[in-house]
Amino acid sequence: MSADIVQFPQKSPPVEPLAQFVRLGEVSHKRTASLFAEGHLAAKRVVVDASRLRYLRSEIKQFKEAGREIVLDTKAAELAALSKFGGSAKDAPWSQVAGGQLVTAPCFLRGHPGDIFGQIARCAVEYDVDAVLSPGHFLHPENGLNWLDIDRGSCSELRRALDHEGAKHNAIDYLLILPHLMLNDPEMRLKIMQALSDLPFDNLWIRASGFGNDSAAQPLVALISSLVQFHNLGKPIINDYLGGLVGEAVMALGASSGFAHGIAECERFDARPWDKPAKKRDPDKPGGRAARINLSLINKSLTLNEYETLLSAKSAKRLLSPSVALPGVRTPSDVTNDPKILASKEAVTNFEALANVPNLHRPKDFVERRVEPAVERMQQIKNLIPNPEIAKSNDVDVDKLMKRMGDHHKQLSRQSNSLTELSERMVELGPVARPVQRLSRLEEHEIRGQRP
């Protein structure tokens, strides 16, 4: 008599959601917002700086109608910083609560005549945002604990102000800004977690100064190892001002639940010069940054002149072509017409590719799909021989450019090795990140199979 074999139902590995927040930025906010309207940027969450609110009223309305979640950054940190206060941050609605001076600690205490929390709450209602970043400040090694205590109180005061204005449905995310090396300090981590343990917020945003998408393997591994320790708070973690391959790596290894970045900008943060007066611009030098091309395949950005110089080498077009199919953007020359279009498409495509992978397989998939191909491609790019005449006409030093390509190849190789090794011992470090629970209206409708 043959035995009956009972087939147990197979269960697919869990796919916990990840979150991508796109920062509109302070300089190219209009262009980034237009990418949504033009259909080039499909991200479900948007971060709007308070300093740009009045310039984006119609765009914010369009985001709401499309079901995007809108998060308001109060710019509190910049308004308290010597080098940032006089810049675009001064356009935040509450920048004058201190009479035109730096918005320092007393302004965030209950009863201050400037009523900054009331102003923020009323602004949140007026613009119908979904969430507000609780006012956070740079925890400088010398005064960090003082600001931590102030910011802790600010979170509770903001909740009280929002409730008073009839915005109980508005969420709060806590913004923690500190040097990335401070995250490695177990004693500081414990003090921070104790301070935040009973506060009314959904997600913990961590903006690590001195860290970004260009960070090397050792700081990346240290950041991942440190972030895991914050999981005991039971809050989803969002890496602020971090995108690209490095930002994806932190999520892939389960250290964070999402990231916030701009389109080819806001991918690195450095508050070290904030306590110094802002540098005066030389009127004889052209202002603004040089236009850059973001190459997500190798996690590298180049100036237009550098990109065109590399393209002059044999086989370069194959190596430097766009990584995603996009109408009107198929060749390197198409890329230079509007680099933001390609950057926006690649940012969302790379994120969604990671988000769709089951949690258990994300580390291995990420290394094999994103990091190793980047290493292999850079191996070829670093050996290109650009045309010296074209380099000269573009005012590009070929030797320096190719040295940077070689250095970047080494960095990617080290990241690949480090991430592979770290992924094998993540279970030993601690629990994985808690997934973001708050859904955008667009996500809610997608779950129900409806249009927003």
Side-chain angles (χ1 to χ4, degrees):
M1 178 176 163
S2 60
D4 291 331
I5 298 176
V6 179
Q7 297 288 341
F8 286 92
Q10 293 195 5
K11 185 177 181 181
S12 300
V15 181
E16 297 286 8
L18 297 173
Q20 180 182 41
F21 297 80
V22 172
R23 282 187 164 275
L24 299 186
E26 291 186 316
V27 178
S28 56
H29 51 283
K30 278 288 188 180
R31 179 62 189 126
T32 304
S34 70
L35 291 170
F36 283 90
E38 296 166 8
H40 299 308
L41 190 52
K44 300 179 176 72
R45 295 173 171 85
V46 183
V47 184
V48 182
D49 288 340
S51 56
R52 305 293 93 182
L53 274 175
R54 57 183 176 140
Y55 306 110
L56 293 167
R57 187 179 292 272
S58 62
E59 287 84 354
I60 291 173
K61 183 178 179 181
Q62 291 171 3
F63 293 149
K64 292 294 294 185
E65 292 173 350
R68 263 78 181 185
E69 179 183 79
I70 300 174
V71 180
L72 174 64
D73 184 342
T74 67
K75 308 302 288 184
E78 288 82 355
L79 290 172
L82 191 60
S83 69
K84 306 296 288 185
F85 176 77
S88 57
K90 69 179 183 302
D91 291 329
W94 35 87
S95 63
Q96 298 301 309
V97 294
Q101 303 300 312
L102 291 178
V103 183
T104 52
C107 300
F108 296 92
L109 299 178
R110 183 187 295 188
H112 187 274
D115 187 26
I116 191 168
F117 301 110
Q119 289 195 54
I120 294 172
R122 289 187 288 275
C123 188
V125 172
E126 178 184 353
Y127 286 90
D128 194 21
V129 303
D130 299 286
V132 181
L133 292 182
S134 180
H137 297 83
F138 180 51
L139 305 187
H140 192 280
E142 296 177 1
N143 62 3
L145 292 179
N146 295 334
W147 269 124
L148 179 62
D149 188 51
I150 294 293
D151 293 344
R152 184 182 185 284
S154 293
C155 184
S156 297
E157 289 300 317
L158 179 58
R159 181 72 272 164
R160 186 178 291 108
L162 286 168
D163 292 350
H164 179 74
E165 296 297 332
K168 292 184 178 181
H169 61 285
N170 281 83
I172 294 176
D173 286 349
Y174 192 94
L175 177 59
L176 177 67
I177 311 174
L178 73 176
H180 76 97
L181 293 176
M182 192 181 286
L183 288 168
N184 302 338
D185 183 346
E187 184 178 347
M188 179 57 70
R189 285 199 304 264
L190 179 60
K191 289 179 179 178
I192 291 172
M193 286 192 284
Q194 289 174 339
L196 307 186
S197 61
D198 60 346
L199 293 181
F201 68 92
D202 288 354
N203 305 313
L204 172 61
W205 288 49
I206 297 181
R207 191 186 299 177
S209 176
F211 191 87
N213 188 32
D214 58 348
S215 290
Q218 191 277 328
L220 172 57
V221 169
L223 181 83
I224 291 173
S225 302
S226 298
L227 290 181
V228 170
Q229 307 309 311
F230 281 94
H231 295 172
N232 290 325
L233 265 178
K235 300 286 187 179
I237 294 176
I238 308 299
N239 287 119
D240 196 15
Y241 275 74
L242 182 63
L245 185 144
V246 170
E248 294 166 31
V250 181
M251 293 188 292
L253 269 69
S256 71
S257 315
F259 59 2
H261 60 87
I263 300 303
E265 62 178 310
C266 300
E267 294 189 333
R268 179 179 180 80
F269 180 71
D270 192 351
R272 286 173 293 186
W274 276 20
D275 59 351
K276 301 178 178 62
K279 293 182 179 180
K280 293 184 178 180
R281 189 177 71 84
D282 187 340
D284 296 327
K285 293 183 178 180
R289 290 174 46 189
R292 301 186 73 86
I293 302 291
N294 190 62
L295 302 174
S296 73
L297 272 174
I298 56 173
N299 198 46
K300 187 70 175 174
S301 72
L302 301 165
T303 66
L304 285 175
N305 285 356
E306 291 170 342
Y307 184 61
E308 291 173 353
T309 297
L310 282 177
L311 284 174
S312 69
K314 184 180 179 180
S315 302
K317 291 182 179 179
R318 173 179 57 84
L319 296 170
L320 301 172
S321 291
S323 64
V324 297
L326 190 64
V329 184
R330 296 183 177 86
T331 66
S333 58
D334 295 327
V335 174
T336 60
N337 293 331
D338 192 340
K340 287 276 188 180
I341 293 178
L342 179 63
S344 62
K345 181 72 173 179
E346 289 184 327
V348 175
T349 299
N350 291 332
F351 166 75
E352 291 180 343
L354 175 63
N356 290 330
V357 176
N359 297 32
L360 185 63
H361 304 315
R362 277 176 183 164
K364 185 173 185 292
D365 169 83
F366 179 74
V367 172
E368 293 180 351
R369 177 180 49 82
R370 279 284 276 141
V371 187
E372 290 179 353
V375 175
E376 293 172 4
R377 187 167 293 236
M378 276 307 304
Q379 171 68 38
Q380 299 176 68
I381 291 175
K382 75 182 183 68
N383 292 323
L384 292 174
I385 304 176
N387 185 308
E389 294 301 320
I390 292 179
K392 184 177 180 180
S393 65
N394 284 327
D395 195 24
V396 171
D397 187 318
V398 172
D399 292 337
K400 290 183 178 179
L401 175 61
M402 299 318 295
K403 182 182 184 303
R404 284 168 45 213
M405 296 300 101
D407 291 343
H408 187 58
H409 172 255
K410 292 178 183 177
Q411 177 166 303
L412 285 173
S413 298
R414 290 167 182 156
Q415 287 176 338
S416 179
N417 294 334
S418 297
L419 291 172
T420 299
E421 188 275 333
L422 183 61
S423 66
E424 295 173 353
R425 57 183 181 88
M426 282 300 292
V427 176
E428 305 170 10
L429 295 180
V432 297
R434 181 182 177 87
V436 171
Q437 302 296 312
R438 193 174 69 226
L439 297 178
S440 67
R441 194 159 57 89
L442 181 60
E443 289 171 318
E444 291 175 351
H445 284 287
E446 287 177 346
I447 292 173
R448 298 170 188 158
Q450 302 172 340
R451 293 178 63 87

